[in-house]
Amino acid sequence: MPDFDLTHKFGRLAALNDMTWRDHAFLRVWWTNAHWISDEMVRTNQPWPFQIRRWAKRGIKTVVNLRGGFGASFHQLEKDTCAREGLVLENFTVTSRGAPTLEQVRGAKELFERIQYPALMHCKSGADRAGLMSVLYLHFRKGEPIEQAKRMLSLRFGHVRQGKTGVIDYYFEQYLAHAKTSGLSLLEWTASAYDPDKLKAEFRSQK
């Protein structure tokens, strides 16, 4: 993966060119898939530097990157822009085609308890990983039951449950099915009666 020197004009142009084509950012110039899911949190797709600056002007204090991609052009530009705008950049990597782990669910709860708000969180398209974290945000931060918070995983946001990303829906559905009899909270069930590899295998077998 190339290392872009953003202190020089040509290095910045190279990073923008790489982000535009390799990361398909040309699709996200006008389509942002941005939605305020509460008065303090917005979910969106991967923002351009100019879009991060706009969000900063609207009062955003924290940007949560759900993609990882450390060293990639999009992340280097995001990191640089956040630093210039005085925003806190949090990196919290989750996946769209795997069942969430206990560490991810517990980490999400801790993340939403400590970050500064208003905040923005994003993955690449703003559909699947952002959907997973939006459910967890509304549940842990806002106290919504999973049955209600699951609306964050819908076609409205670009999430298609019929594909491999449906494993996220399956995780919450399995919790709800077991919670009715066990009475465990989401975090308790994930810590005691849940195996992400087994759940993913079950989901694949059904598919």
Side-chain angles (χ1 to χ4, degrees), residues 17-58:
N17 181 68
D18 184 83
M19 175 181 171
T20 300
W21 303 110
R22 185 189 300 271
D23 198 50
H24 312 117
F26 64 91
L27 298 172
R28 304 191 296 268
V29 175
W30 304 112
W31 177 68
T32 61
N33 202 14
H35 305 271
W36 285 94
I37 61 174
S38 77
D39 58 351
E40 63 177 11
M41 176 65 79
V42 61
R43 57 179 288 181
T44 183
N45 57 18
Q46 174 69 54
W48 282 76
F50 78 87
Q51 292 166 338
I52 294 176
R53 290 192 289 270
R54 287 180 180 175
W55 285 116
K57 290 180 180 178
R58 295 180 65 177

Side-chain angles (χ1 to χ4, degrees), residues 19-135:
M19 175 181 171
T20 300
W21 303 110
R22 185 189 300 271
D23 198 50
H24 312 117
F26 64 91
L27 298 172
R28 304 191 296 268
V29 175
W30 304 112
W31 177 68
T32 61
N33 202 14
H35 305 271
W36 285 94
I37 61 174
S38 77
D39 58 351
E40 63 177 11
M41 176 65 79
V42 61
R43 57 179 288 181
T44 183
N45 57 18
Q46 174 69 54
W48 282 76
F50 78 87
Q51 292 166 338
I52 294 176
R53 290 192 289 270
R54 287 180 180 175
W55 285 116
K57 290 180 180 178
R58 295 180 65 177
I60 292 295
K61 296 179 180 179
T62 304
V63 173
V64 182
N65 164 40
L66 305 175
R67 300 183 62 184
F70 313 118
S73 55
F74 70 83
H75 187 265
Q76 292 188 45
L77 288 164
E78 179 174 57
K79 183 178 179 180
D80 176 77
T81 307
C82 285
R84 290 172 181 267
E85 296 297 321
L87 305 179
V88 176
L89 176 61
E90 295 276 356
N91 295 300
F92 190 87
T93 307
V94 292
T95 61
S96 61
R97 290 170 172 78
T101 66
L102 172 61
E103 291 72 21
Q104 289 171 336
V105 176
R106 183 180 287 152
K109 183 176 185 295
E110 295 171 351
L111 175 76
F112 295 134
E113 288 173 349
R114 65 176 173 77
I115 62 173
Q116 298 181 65
Y117 293 94
L120 174 154
M121 60 180 171
H122 74 84
C123 52
K124 183 176 182 179
S125 66
D128 306 310
R129 287 168 287 190
L132 164 65
M133 291 294 284
S134 293
V135 176

